[in-house]
Amino acid sequence: MGQHRRKRGTPRQGFGRSRGGFTTKIHLRVNAAGLPMRTEITAGQTSDYLGFDLVMADNLPEPSVLLADRGYDSDNIRKTMEVRDVVPVIPMRKTRKLRVAVDRRLYRLRNLVERCFNKLNNARRVATRYDKTAESFLGFIDITSIRLWLRHLST
């Protein structure tokens, strides 16, 4: 009678809640050629700040410029990148009190990330999240990423 049913591990599996149902956020780090370097997933309602820490781990070559969208605009991320000698090119959130300039010409290159997402979403299994577990979904994202690398290397 007094037992509470625990939710079935949806955050652990990368599922988040929204009005439309379950959602998953893919965090992606790409190189200058627009190829995936690291992918991670989080529940859809998770902050982008957590995704940033996941994809910017220290075991990859250090970028010279970080191109990111507004979701990654925080003083902490900017300081972290400046300490690592990386130029952050991130548009400001509308709520930011201290204004920060953005090099618009450089920021246009962020379309490499969007194009990489589009290529990953060409795989129906990635676009629709058929997989029930986070491990299998992330594994299929990795397989799709490998296919992108192979296509790039064979041309």
Side-chain angles (χ1 to χ4, degrees), residues 57-125:
D58 289 333
N59 62 349
L60 285 176
E62 202 66 62
S64 57
V65 175
L66 170 72
L67 301 170
D69 64 7
R70 275 194 176 102
Y72 295 92
D73 179 31
S74 78
D75 292 331
N76 188 31
I77 289 176
R78 289 179 187 278
K79 287 176 189 168
T80 301
M81 290 294 95
E82 287 170 5
V83 165
R84 291 164 70 170
D85 291 326
V86 177
V87 177
V89 180
I90 307 169
M92 297 173 291
R93 288 181 183 250
K94 292 177 179 151
T95 58
R96 181 176 274 283
K97 290 180 175 66
L98 179 63
R99 308 311 283 174
V100 179
V102 173
D103 184 344
R104 290 288 171 193
R105 284 185 338 178
L106 202 52
Y107 186 70
R108 281 189 208 130
L109 294 174
R110 205 185 88 69
N111 75 51
L112 291 169
V113 178
E114 296 302 326
R115 284 192 276 162
C116 187
F117 270 119
N118 288 337
K119 289 174 188 173
L120 289 174
N121 281 325
N122 281 337
R124 183 188 301 175
R125 195 166 170 172

